[in-house]
Amino acid sequence: MTDSASITPELIAAQTEASMEELGRRLDDDDYSTPFAALNDWHLLRAIAIHRPELARPYVHLVDQEPFDED
C-alpha cells in the first residue's frame, strides 16, 4: 500500500506485472484494515491505468469509473 499523496512518476514507472498482480489481488480481496488503505491502493491503480494502461488492463474492472447517481 502507498499513501495516495506519494504517488510519483517514479513509483508508477517502477511497477511490474508482479507488483500489479499483488495490487489487483489486494483490491479484489478487499480485506483492508481501514477504508483509507483501500482508497490508497485504488488511487495507485487509477494512476497506473492512466499512465501505463498496458499494466493496468487486466485490473481495469477494479477501477470503478461509473458515474454516480446521487438522486
Side-chain angles (χ1 to χ4, degrees):
M1 280 173 284
T2 186
D3 179 353
S4 62
S6 64
I7 297 174
T8 63
E10 294 80 15
L11 177 63
I12 294 169
Q15 299 306 303
T16 64
E17 287 185 23
S19 66
M20 289 303 299
E21 187 176 324
E22 175 63 22
L23 178 63
R25 185 197 55 74
R26 286 196 310 262
L27 284 164
D28 202 35
D29 289 350
D30 195 25
D31 186 24
Y32 291 93
S33 58
T34 70
F36 297 107
L39 190 58
N40 288 336
D41 272 357
W42 184 85
H43 280 291
L44 178 57
L45 178 59
R46 187 168 179 267
I48 294 166
I50 291 167
H51 298 286
R52 296 192 62 200
E54 72 284 356
L55 276 180
R57 195 163 286 119
Y59 311 100
V60 74
H61 67 281
L62 297 171
V63 180
D64 183 17
Q65 295 182 342
E66 294 294 320
F68 285 93
D69 182 10
E70 296 181 13
D71 293 333

